[in-house]
PDB file of all heavy atoms in Angstrom:
ATOM      1  N   HIS A   1     223.636  64.788-105.589  1.00 82.00           N
ATOM      2  CA  HIS A   1     222.705  64.087-104.702  1.00 82.00           C
ATOM      3  C   HIS A   1     222.432  64.884-103.431  1.00 82.00           C
ATOM      4  O   HIS A   1     221.785  64.387-102.521  1.00 82.00           O
ATOM      5  CB  HIS A   1     223.262  62.707-104.358  1.00 82.00           C
ATOM      6  CG  HIS A   1     223.523  61.874-105.578  1.00 82.00           C
ATOM      7  ND1 HIS A   1     222.518  61.251-106.286  1.00 82.00           N
ATOM      8  CD2 HIS A   1     224.670  61.608-106.240  1.00 82.00           C
ATOM      9  CE1 HIS A   1     223.044  60.620-107.324  1.00 82.00           C
ATOM     10  NE2 HIS A   1     224.350  60.812-107.320  1.00 82.00           N
ATOM     11  N   VAL A   2     222.938  66.109-103.361  1.00 84.00           N
ATOM     12  CA  VAL A   2     222.796  66.953-102.178  1.00 84.00           C
ATOM     13  C   VAL A   2     221.753  68.027-102.455  1.00 84.00           C
ATOM     14  O   VAL A   2     221.805  68.694-103.475  1.00 84.00           O
ATOM     15  CB  VAL A   2     224.150  67.626-101.817  1.00 84.00           C
ATOM     16  CG1 VAL A   2     223.978  68.607-100.677  1.00 84.00           C
ATOM     17  CG2 VAL A   2     225.192  66.576-101.487  1.00 84.00           C
ATOM     18  N   ALA A   3     220.797  68.164-101.544  1.00 83.00           N
ATOM     19  CA  ALA A   3     219.790  69.217-101.659  1.00 83.00           C
ATOM     20  C   ALA A   3     219.184  69.474-100.290  1.00 83.00           C
ATOM     21  O   ALA A   3     219.184  68.598 -99.423  1.00 83.00           O
ATOM     22  CB  ALA A   3     218.693  68.805-102.650  1.00 83.00           C
ATOM     23  N   LYS A   4     218.697  70.678-100.102  1.00 85.00           N
ATOM     24  CA  LYS A   4     218.011  71.004 -98.858  1.00 85.00           C
ATOM     25  C   LYS A   4     216.823  70.064 -98.674  1.00 85.00           C
ATOM     26  O   LYS A   4     216.175  69.673 -99.639  1.00 85.00           O
ATOM     27  CB  LYS A   4     217.532  72.451 -98.875  1.00 85.00           C
ATOM     28  CG  LYS A   4     218.641  73.452 -98.764  1.00 85.00           C
ATOM     29  CD  LYS A   4     218.107  74.865 -98.729  1.00 85.00           C
ATOM     30  CE  LYS A   4     219.272  75.836 -98.646  1.00 85.00           C
ATOM     31  NZ  LYS A   4     218.843  77.216 -98.563  1.00 85.00           N
ATOM     32  N   GLY A   5     216.547  69.698 -97.432  1.00 84.00           N
ATOM     33  CA  GLY A   5     215.398  68.862 -97.127  1.00 84.00           C
ATOM     34  C   GLY A   5     215.636  67.377 -97.290  1.00 84.00           C
ATOM     35  O   GLY A   5     214.709  66.586 -97.113  1.00 84.00           O
ATOM     36  N   LYS A   6     216.855  66.955 -97.626  1.00 84.00           N
ATOM     37  CA  LYS A   6     217.138  65.531 -97.802  1.00 84.00           C
ATOM     38  C   LYS A   6     217.645  64.889 -96.512  1.00 84.00           C
ATOM     39  O   LYS A   6     218.037  63.747 -96.521  1.00 84.00           O
ATOM     40  CB  LYS A   6     218.160  65.312 -98.919  1.00 84.00           C
ATOM     41  CG  LYS A   6     217.589  65.516-100.302  1.00 84.00           C
ATOM     42  CD  LYS A   6     218.592  65.156-101.363  1.00 84.00           C
ATOM     43  CE  LYS A   6     218.211  63.859-102.014  1.00 84.00           C
ATOM     44  NZ  LYS A   6     219.106  63.523-103.137  1.00 84.00           N
ATOM     45  N   ASN A   7     217.642  65.634 -95.416  1.00 82.00           N
ATOM     46  CA  ASN A   7     218.118  65.126 -94.122  1.00 82.00           C
ATOM     47  C   ASN A   7     219.510  64.533 -94.223  1.00 82.00           C
ATOM     48  O   ASN A   7     219.771  63.420 -93.774  1.00 82.00           O
ATOM     49  CB  ASN A   7     217.134  64.107 -93.544  1.00 82.00           C
ATOM     50  CG  ASN A   7     215.797  64.736 -93.242  1.00 82.00           C
ATOM     51  OD1 ASN A   7     215.734  65.866 -92.767  1.00 82.00           O
ATOM     52  ND2 ASN A   7     214.726  64.037 -93.553  1.00 82.00           N
ATOM     53  N   ILE A   8     220.407  65.279 -94.808  1.00 81.00           N
ATOM     54  CA  ILE A   8     221.782  64.829 -94.973  1.00 81.00           C
ATOM     55  C   ILE A   8     222.478  64.892 -93.621  1.00 81.00           C
ATOM     56  O   ILE A   8     222.425  65.909 -92.935  1.00 81.00           O
ATOM     57  CB  ILE A   8     222.505  65.712 -96.008  1.00 81.00           C
ATOM     58  CG1 ILE A   8     221.809  65.554 -97.362  1.00 81.00           C
ATOM     59  CG2 ILE A   8     223.982  65.362 -96.088  1.00 81.00           C
ATOM     60  CD1 ILE A   8     222.248  66.558 -98.392  1.00 81.00           C
ATOM     61  N   PRO A   9     223.102  63.802 -93.204  1.00 83.00           N
ATOM     62  CA  PRO A   9     223.762  63.781 -91.893  1.00 83.00           C
ATOM     63  C   PRO A   9     225.035  64.624 -91.903  1.00 83.00           C
ATOM     64  O   PRO A   9     225.529  65.005 -92.965  1.00 83.00           O
ATOM     65  CB  PRO A   9     224.106  62.294 -91.708  1.00 83.00           C
ATOM     66  CG  PRO A   9     224.269  61.784 -93.091  1.00 83.00           C
ATOM     67  CD  PRO A   9     223.264  62.543 -93.919  1.00 83.00           C
ATOM     68  N   PRO A  10     225.573  64.904 -90.720  1.00 83.00           N
ATOM     69  CA  PRO A  10     226.851  65.623 -90.665  1.00 83.00           C
ATOM     70  C   PRO A  10     227.932  64.857 -91.423  1.00 83.00           C
ATOM     71  O   PRO A  10     227.925  63.628 -91.470  1.00 83.00           O
ATOM     72  CB  PRO A  10     227.172  65.665 -89.172  1.00 83.00           C
ATOM     73  CG  PRO A  10     225.851  65.521 -88.501  1.00 83.00           C
ATOM     74  CD  PRO A  10     225.043  64.626 -89.397  1.00 83.00           C
ATOM     75  N   PHE A  11     228.830  65.598 -92.010  1.00 81.00           N
ATOM     76  CA  PHE A  11     229.898  65.031 -92.829  1.00 81.00           C
ATOM     77  C   PHE A  11     231.253  65.410 -92.276  1.00 81.00           C
ATOM     78  O   PHE A  11     231.431  66.503 -91.757  1.00 81.00           O
ATOM     79  CB  PHE A  11     229.825  65.606 -94.250  1.00 81.00           C
ATOM     80  CG  PHE A  11     229.137  64.748 -95.254  1.00 81.00           C
ATOM     81  CD1 PHE A  11     227.774  64.561 -95.210  1.00 81.00           C
ATOM     82  CD2 PHE A  11     229.861  64.136 -96.261  1.00 81.00           C
ATOM     83  CE1 PHE A  11     227.137  63.789 -96.153  1.00 81.00           C
ATOM     84  CE2 PHE A  11     229.234  63.361 -97.207  1.00 81.00           C
ATOM     85  CZ  PHE A  11     227.873  63.183 -97.155  1.00 81.00           C
ATOM     86  N   LEU A  12     232.208  64.533 -92.432  1.00 84.00           N
ATOM     87  CA  LEU A  12     233.617  64.863 -92.266  1.00 84.00           C
ATOM     88  C   LEU A  12     234.275  64.485 -93.581  1.00 84.00           C
ATOM     89  O   LEU A  12     234.298  63.316 -93.966  1.00 84.00           O
ATOM     90  CB  LEU A  12     234.268  64.093 -91.120  1.00 84.00           C
ATOM     91  CG  LEU A  12     235.789  64.275 -90.992  1.00 84.00           C
ATOM     92  CD1 LEU A  12     236.146  65.742 -90.782  1.00 84.00           C
ATOM     93  CD2 LEU A  12     236.334  63.410 -89.878  1.00 84.00           C
ATOM     94  N   ILE A  13     234.775  65.466 -94.278  1.00 86.00           N
ATOM     95  CA  ILE A  13     235.388  65.242 -95.584  1.00 86.00           C
ATOM     96  C   ILE A  13     236.899  65.233 -95.397  1.00 86.00           C
ATOM     97  O   ILE A  13     237.490  66.252 -95.060  1.00 86.00           O
ATOM     98  CB  ILE A  13     234.973  66.333 -96.581  1.00 86.00           C
ATOM     99  CG1 ILE A  13     233.455  66.369 -96.705  1.00 86.00           C
ATOM    100  CG2 ILE A  13     235.635  66.095 -97.932  1.00 86.00           C
ATOM    101  CD1 ILE A  13     232.936  67.574 -97.448  1.00 86.00           C
ATOM    102  N   LEU A  14     237.492  64.098 -95.601  1.00 86.00           N
ATOM    103  CA  LEU A  14     238.940  63.953 -95.491  1.00 86.00           C
ATOM    104  C   LEU A  14     239.553  63.984 -96.877  1.00 86.00           C
ATOM    105  O   LEU A  14     238.983  63.440 -97.825  1.00 86.00           O
ATOM    106  CB  LEU A  14     239.292  62.626 -94.823  1.00 86.00           C
ATOM    107  CG  LEU A  14     238.727  62.396 -93.440  1.00 86.00           C
ATOM    108  CD1 LEU A  14     239.022  60.974 -92.977  1.00 86.00           C
ATOM    109  CD2 LEU A  14     239.277  63.409 -92.452  1.00 86.00           C
ATOM    110  N   HIS A  15     240.704  64.603 -96.978  1.00 87.00           N
ATOM    111  CA  HIS A  15     241.413  64.608 -98.250  1.00 87.00           C
ATOM    112  C   HIS A  15     242.893  64.794 -97.987  1.00 87.00           C
ATOM    113  O   HIS A  15     243.300  65.258 -96.927  1.00 87.00           O
ATOM    114  CB  HIS A  15     240.879  65.696 -99.190  1.00 87.00           C
ATOM    115  CG  HIS A  15     241.054  67.094 -98.681  1.00 87.00           C
ATOM    116  ND1 HIS A  15     242.132  67.876 -99.035  1.00 87.00           N
ATOM    117  CD2 HIS A  15     240.317  67.826 -97.833  1.00 87.00           C
ATOM    118  CE1 HIS A  15     242.028  69.041 -98.434  1.00 87.00           C
ATOM    119  NE2 HIS A  15     240.939  69.041 -97.704  1.00 87.00           N
ATOM    120  N   VAL A  16     243.689  64.396 -98.952  1.00 88.00           N
ATOM    121  CA  VAL A  16     245.137  64.560 -98.871  1.00 88.00           C
ATOM    122  C   VAL A  16     245.447  65.993 -99.287  1.00 88.00           C
ATOM    123  O   VAL A  16     245.233  66.373-100.432  1.00 88.00           O
ATOM    124  CB  VAL A  16     245.860  63.531 -99.767  1.00 88.00           C
ATOM    125  CG1 VAL A  16     247.359  63.772 -99.753  1.00 88.00           C
ATOM    126  CG2 VAL A  16     245.530  62.115 -99.314  1.00 88.00           C
ATOM    127  N   ALA A  17     245.940  66.786 -98.345  1.00 88.00           N
ATOM    128  CA  ALA A  17     246.163  68.213 -98.577  1.00 88.00           C
ATOM    129  C   ALA A  17     247.174  68.482 -99.684  1.00 88.00           C
ATOM    130  O   ALA A  17     247.101  69.510-100.352  1.00 88.00           O
ATOM    131  CB  ALA A  17     246.616  68.884 -97.282  1.00 88.00           C
ATOM    132  N   ASP A  18     248.102  67.583 -99.891  1.00 89.00           N
ATOM    133  CA  ASP A  18     249.139  67.777-100.901  1.00 89.00           C
ATOM    134  C   ASP A  18     248.691  67.394-102.310  1.00 89.00           C
ATOM    135  O   ASP A  18     249.473  67.477-103.244  1.00 89.00           O
ATOM    136  CB  ASP A  18     250.391  66.967-100.536  1.00 89.00           C
ATOM    137  CG  ASP A  18     250.939  67.357 -99.177  1.00 89.00           C
ATOM    138  OD1 ASP A  18     250.813  68.535 -98.800  1.00 89.00           O
ATOM    139  OD2 ASP A  18     251.486  66.478 -98.496  1.00 89.00           O
ATOM    140  N   HIS A  19     247.470  66.956-102.463  1.00 85.00           N
ATOM    141  CA  HIS A  19     246.963  66.539-103.766  1.00 85.00           C
ATOM    142  C   HIS A  19     245.956  67.584-104.255  1.00 85.00           C
ATOM    143  O   HIS A  19     244.827  67.649-103.762  1.00 85.00           O
ATOM    144  CB  HIS A  19     246.286  65.168-103.659  1.00 85.00           C
ATOM    145  CG  HIS A  19     246.044  64.521-104.973  1.00 85.00           C
ATOM    146  ND1 HIS A  19     245.117  64.989-105.861  1.00 85.00           N
ATOM    147  CD2 HIS A  19     246.610  63.447-105.550  1.00 85.00           C
ATOM    148  CE1 HIS A  19     245.111  64.225-106.936  1.00 85.00           C
ATOM    149  NE2 HIS A  19     246.007  63.287-106.768  1.00 85.00           N
ATOM    150  N   PRO A  20     246.343  68.425-105.202  1.00 86.00           N
ATOM    151  CA  PRO A  20     245.472  69.540-105.585  1.00 86.00           C
ATOM    152  C   PRO A  20     244.126  69.125-106.177  1.00 86.00           C
ATOM    153  O   PRO A  20     243.130  69.811-105.969  1.00 86.00           O
ATOM    154  CB  PRO A  20     246.301  70.316-106.610  1.00 86.00           C
ATOM    155  CG  PRO A  20     247.356  69.386-107.072  1.00 86.00           C
ATOM    156  CD  PRO A  20     247.593  68.407-105.963  1.00 86.00           C
ATOM    157  N   ASP A  21     244.077  68.008-106.893  1.00 84.00           N
ATOM    158  CA  ASP A  21     242.810  67.602-107.506  1.00 84.00           C
ATOM    159  C   ASP A  21     241.777  67.213-106.452  1.00 84.00           C
ATOM    160  O   ASP A  21     240.644  67.692-106.470  1.00 84.00           O
ATOM    161  CB  ASP A  21     243.017  66.441-108.486  1.00 84.00           C
ATOM    162  CG  ASP A  21     243.810  66.843-109.710  1.00 84.00           C
ATOM    163  OD1 ASP A  21     243.769  68.024-110.087  1.00 84.00           O
ATOM    164  OD2 ASP A  21     244.477  65.971-110.284  1.00 84.00           O
ATOM    165  N   THR A  22     242.155  66.320-105.540  1.00 82.00           N
ATOM    166  CA  THR A  22     241.175  65.880-104.543  1.00 82.00           C
ATOM    167  C   THR A  22     240.893  66.973-103.516  1.00 82.00           C
ATOM    168  O   THR A  22     239.792  67.036-102.979  1.00 82.00           O
ATOM    169  CB  THR A  22     241.607  64.569-103.849  1.00 82.00           C
ATOM    170  OG1 THR A  22     242.913  64.731-103.298  1.00 82.00           O
ATOM    171  CG2 THR A  22     241.584  63.419-104.819  1.00 82.00           C
ATOM    172  N   SER A  23     241.865  67.851-103.254  1.00 87.00           N
ATOM    173  CA  SER A  23     241.603  68.974-102.349  1.00 87.00           C
ATOM    174  C   SER A  23     240.525  69.886-102.933  1.00 87.00           C
ATOM    175  O   SER A  23     239.587  70.286-102.237  1.00 87.00           O
ATOM    176  CB  SER A  23     242.876  69.777-102.092  1.00 87.00           C
ATOM    177  OG  SER A  23     243.796  69.025-101.338  1.00 87.00           O
ATOM    178  N   ALA A  24     240.635  70.211-104.209  1.00 88.00           N
ATOM    179  CA  ALA A  24     239.632  71.056-104.864  1.00 88.00           C
ATOM    180  C   ALA A  24     238.261  70.388-104.831  1.00 88.00           C
ATOM    181  O   ALA A  24     237.249  71.042-104.573  1.00 88.00           O
ATOM    182  CB  ALA A  24     240.050  71.349-106.307  1.00 88.00           C
TER     183      ALA A  24
END
């Protein structure tokens, strides 16, 4: 759902660093 020109707002992506699947 991400593409140039879609006016996507700034993001902060949080994840659990010790969890390799969600970190990737």
